[in-house]
């Protein structure tokens, strides 16, 4: 088993011409495994546990762009604020305000994606269309209050199901929101990134307009 370099190259061969960015999801993987992809040129890695991310960031090359893709608790923002490249799972203005506060402390503008809930599972986090609209309205109408965050786009996760049409429908809805709210832009908000698609559904996601996929198990092997 181990890291599947052949498949990594194959996937890049599909993503690069389509201008889709790849975040290699390295949660629970070792520094050695991450370095195997790093040595292939991969620089974007995604983690979803704060402590694990902090530990890995300390021991791995400084030019890695770390994506936080998990559910972020307000009280943990300060641990990743000094270095995180993109926070995918912003699901409230309260969290956004805390990210902004920590960004200010470190004199950084922190990139964020707003997470929208589209899956049928209730345990997946995220905003509804209405709360997404409210959050974007607040950020774009009072940009000075949010000058240390930059809303780069939208992130979502489809249902965990074999029903491909359901998954497709959920991705279509994310793309619809992404297009619809393009007009809500300001000095700290421009929806350019649509982060959707994982190992089992990234091909559907790309067909539906994704431009950033988050892939773990296809590259690193199944998590046990
Ligand atoms: C784990 C995880 C992924 C990657 O999942 P795979 O099925 O291993 O590709 C992508 N996005 C999020 C938010 C995750 O937690």
């Amino acid at each position: 088993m181990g890291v599947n370099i052949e498949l990594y190259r194959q996937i890049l061969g599909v993503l690069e011409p389509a201008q889709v960015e790849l975040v290699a999801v390295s949660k629970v993987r070792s520094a050695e495994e991450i370095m195997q992809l790093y040595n292939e040129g991969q620089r974007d890695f995604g983690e979803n546990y704060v402590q694990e991310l902090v530990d890995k960031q300390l021991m791995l090359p400084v030019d890695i762009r770390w994506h936080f893709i998990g559910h972020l608790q307000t009280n943990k923002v300060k641990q990743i604020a000094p270095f995180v490249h993109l926070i995918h799972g912003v699901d409230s203005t309260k969290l956004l305000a805390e990210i902004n506060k920590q960004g200010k402390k470190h004199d950084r503008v922190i990139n964020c994606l707003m997470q929208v809930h589209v899956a049928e599972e209730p345990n997946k986090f995220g905003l509804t269309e209405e709360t997404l609209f409210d959050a974007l309205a607040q950020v774009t109408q009072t940009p000075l209050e949010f000058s240390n965050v930059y809303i780069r786009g939208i992130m979502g996760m489809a249902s965990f199901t074999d029903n491909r049409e359901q998954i497709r429908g959920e991705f279509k809805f994310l793309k619809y929101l992404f297009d619809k709210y393009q007009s809500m832009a300001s000095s700290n908000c421009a929806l350019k990134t649509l982060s959707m698609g994982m190992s089992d559904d990234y091909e559907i996601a790309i067909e539906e307009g994704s431009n950033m996929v988050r892939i773990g198990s296809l590259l690193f092997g199944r998590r046990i």
Side-chain angles (χ1 to χ4, degrees), residues 83-99:
F83 64 86
V84 70
H85 172 67
L86 179 62
I87 299 176
H88 287 231
V90 179
D91 60 359
S92 70
T93 42
K94 180 171 162 253
L95 178 58
L96 201 58
E98 176 64 16
I99 297 169

Side-chain angles (χ1 to χ4, degrees), residues 34-87:
I34 293 173
M35 281 310 293
Q36 286 182 46
L37 283 189
Y38 179 89
N39 290 334
E40 286 292 308
Q42 181 66 27
R43 290 295 179 272
D44 293 273
F45 289 91
E47 292 282 337
N48 63 350
Y49 301 103
V50 167
Q51 194 53 52
E52 187 179 344
L53 172 53
V54 169
D55 293 345
K56 284 175 172 168
Q57 190 268 338
L58 282 172
M59 63 178 148
L60 285 158
V62 293
D63 63 340
I64 288 181
R65 293 183 289 267
W66 291 106
H67 296 242
F68 189 79
I69 61 171
H71 179 64
L72 185 56
Q73 288 168 283
T74 322
N75 62 356
K76 297 207 167 150
V77 174
K78 57 178 174 296
Q79 297 183 57
I80 62 172
F83 64 86
V84 70
H85 172 67
L86 179 62
I87 299 176

Side-chain angles (χ1 to χ4, degrees), residues 1-13:
M1 291 307 290
V3 182
N4 193 336
I5 299 293
E6 272 317 303
L7 192 54
Y8 171 71
R9 290 180 185 152
Q10 268 178 38
I11 290 173
L12 272 193

